[in-house]
Amino acid sequence: MPTWHKICPMQVSTASSHAETWIARDAIDDEGRSYKVNVRLGKPIDILSLKGTVVKNFPAQVEHHRKTRAALFNPEKLEKVDHCPVCNSPAANARFLVNIYGGRYHQCPICSHCFLIVRPSQSTLKAFYAADNHYAATYTNKESLEIRVKQVAIPKVEWMIEQFMLIYGQKPVKVLDVGAGGGHFVYAARQMGLEARGIEVSEASREFCKENFGFELEAADFPQEWRRFSDVDVITFWGLIEHVPEPLHLIGAAYQALRGRKTLVVASAPNWNSFSTAVQSLFPNSVVRHLDPLGHPHIFTDSSLATAFEIGGFAPAAAWYFGMDIYELLTQLMLSFSEKVNRIGEELISTLQSSIDTRQLSDTIVLAGKTKS
């Protein structure tokens, strides 16, 4: 299993992309496999307009998550994970990271992937989703429809087109979005001249798309029915592979559909090595996103995501880093101040500063120099 290394500029700008070389080595003395990766940092967004309802109702959101996740992560309803979902190494060797509402995240020592060591059974999850529409509400909110299309979906379509053109020198024609939610990305892609289709298993989300965008999403089983989509140029998994028990089943199906042609797969996933992870590890009893064990049984690192791509048959070619880390910090502080002011102190400062320091984002640098001969 590879270890990943990067060659990148010491100074980068969030205003434009920069090139990095990602190297996968199977052994210390291995020359490795090199991939040129076009990297973009950041995505402007009016987060309060998009998440205004959540901010106003954050205490209620927290209470809902506490109750529902605690019930789902009852030991009697859980099944053990016996292997790493990315590299298939024994889960027994994984290191414990954090407990969120009874969901215990562990990290694989081989590929660095983070995952729940035990999780609700598929029958338990199916029954939960059938009775609870709360999870789909984020993507089927009519009030935020225009904002979500303009500030979330359109930038994703633009980035996808840009990367396809950089790699192949031409614009893609046909796009399939798997796990399309309320259809925002598919709608934006169609508005920008692409032939776009979407797959979504949630009936509520499909109804939202038909009512608000005027077209229907498909309720297909993509890993089983990939042959139906073997004419597309791009397959996207926006916020999907972290939800399913075996992410490689989706990536592998995409490879079967795309192989042998000028094509691209795109997958977004929550990043373990992030400021939000540090914040939520400090406030594990008020998590409503990111390390939510119900929605995210997997939290990737860029190494484990790159490994999943390689195993699935894809060469990493572009990466985009953005998030809601400061939004996460402020919402947690708001709740903490209203509940217990004395929790904000030495523990908060040391935990968050450690996260910033290890990512080379601290405000002091020390450099030693050797006398030149």
Side-chain angles (χ1 to χ4, degrees):
M1 202 53 55
T3 57
W4 289 85
H5 309 266
K6 293 182 181 181
I7 301 175
C8 58
M10 291 183 68
Q11 292 186 342
V12 296
S13 170
T14 57
S16 61
S17 301
H18 66 275
E20 295 182 357
T21 301
W22 290 17
I23 303 171
R25 292 193 177 100
D26 296 321
I28 295 177
D29 57 352
D30 180 17
E31 290 185 2
R33 300 171 297 284
S34 297
Y35 303 102
K36 181 182 177 182
V37 179
N38 189 46
V39 177
R40 180 183 294 182
L41 303 175
K43 177 169 71 70
I45 189 171
D46 183 356
I47 192 64
L48 293 181
S49 296
L50 183 64
K51 293 286 189 178
T53 302
V54 176
V55 173
K56 292 178 183 177
N57 301 321
F58 190 64
Q61 294 271 338
V62 168
E63 186 60 25
H64 174 83
H65 280 67
R66 285 175 180 169
K67 289 182 178 179
T68 55
R69 278 53 173 175
L72 281 172
F73 283 85
N74 183 316
E76 297 179 357
K77 300 179 180 180
L78 301 177
E79 59 183 24
K80 188 176 181 181
V81 176
D82 60 7
H83 65 277
C84 170
V86 169
C87 72
N88 207 39
S89 61
N93 297 332
R95 177 176 63 91
F96 171 73
L97 297 171
V98 66
N99 185 331
I100 308 290
Y101 303 137
R104 296 172 58 84
Y105 284 104
H106 284 61
Q107 185 167 41
C108 175
I110 306 299
C111 71
S112 79
H113 186 59
C114 305
F115 59 96
L116 295 179
I117 199 73
V118 292
R119 62 194 179 200
S121 66
Q122 290 304 296
S123 59
T124 299
L125 289 175
K126 185 176 181 179
F128 172 81
Y129 284 122
D132 190 306
N133 290 325
H134 187 274
Y135 197 84
T138 299
Y139 306 102
T140 56
N141 184 343
K142 292 184 179 181
E143 294 180 5
S144 64
L145 185 150
E146 185 176 346
I147 297 171
R148 187 169 290 278
V149 168
K150 183 178 180 180
Q151 298 193 28
V152 178
I154 289 178
K156 288 178 177 178
V157 178
E158 292 175 338
W159 181 84
M160 176 198 69
I161 293 174
E162 178 186 353
Q163 302 315 312
F164 197 95
M165 292 187 69
L166 284 172
I167 295 167
Y168 297 117
Q170 64 190 54
K171 185 177 178 179
V173 176
K174 296 183 179 182
V175 178
L176 174 68
D177 186 25
V178 184
H184 302 76
F185 178 83
V186 177
Y187 172 77
R190 291 185 175 192
Q191 292 297 105
M192 297 177 68
L194 300 177
E195 297 179 31
R197 302 162 66 183
I199 295 174
E200 177 53 52
V201 298
S202 167
E203 183 177 354
S205 296
R206 294 198 307 272
E207 290 178 355
F208 174 89
C209 181
K210 185 176 181 180
E211 178 182 345
N212 292 278
F213 296 129
F215 61 85
E216 294 187 359
L217 300 171
E218 303 176 46
D221 183 344
F222 177 68
Q224 296 297 323
E225 302 178 59
W226 60 264
R227 292 175 181 82
R228 290 176 48 198
F229 310 101
S230 58
D231 64 336
V232 301
D233 303 308
V234 182
I235 293 176
T236 60
F237 302 111
W238 294 109
L240 178 64
I241 61 172
E242 68 268 29
H243 292 273
V244 298
E246 301 293 342
L248 284 175
H249 288 176
L250 287 174
I251 297 174
Y255 174 73
Q256 293 299 325
L258 297 174
R259 64 188 301 182
R261 299 179 292 113
K262 292 181 178 180
T263 56
L264 202 64
V265 67
V266 175
S268 68
N271 180 16
W272 176 263
N273 295 320
S274 67
F275 191 67
S276 284
T277 296
V279 173
Q280 292 188 351
S281 296
L282 189 61
F283 299 97
N285 294 316
S286 51
V287 171
V288 301
R289 52 173 296 277
H290 191 57
L291 299 186
D292 174 12
L294 171 61
H296 295 171
H298 307 279
I299 309 292
F300 287 79
T301 64
D302 46 11
S303 293
S304 72
L305 187 56
T307 298
F309 268 45
E310 262 209 338
I311 293 174
F314 295 98
W320 188 8
Y321 295 84
F322 60 87
M324 300 193 298
D325 302 81
I326 300 305
Y327 161 84
E328 183 63 43
L329 173 63
L330 293 178
T331 53
Q332 293 293 346
L333 290 180
M334 283 169 38
L335 184 65
S336 184
F337 272 119
S338 65
E339 290 183 347
K340 281 188 178 181
V341 177
N342 61 6
R343 289 185 61 188
I344 310 302
E346 183 178 349
E347 183 181 7
L348 173 67
I349 294 171
S350 62
T351 301
L352 298 188
Q353 189 61 50
S354 174
S355 175
I356 290 172
D357 292 345
T358 57
R359 287 156 185 81
Q360 300 178 355
L361 298 175
S362 47
D363 55 18
T364 300
I365 182 171
V366 177
L367 183 67
K370 180 180 177 182
T371 302
K372 296 177 66 174
S373 56

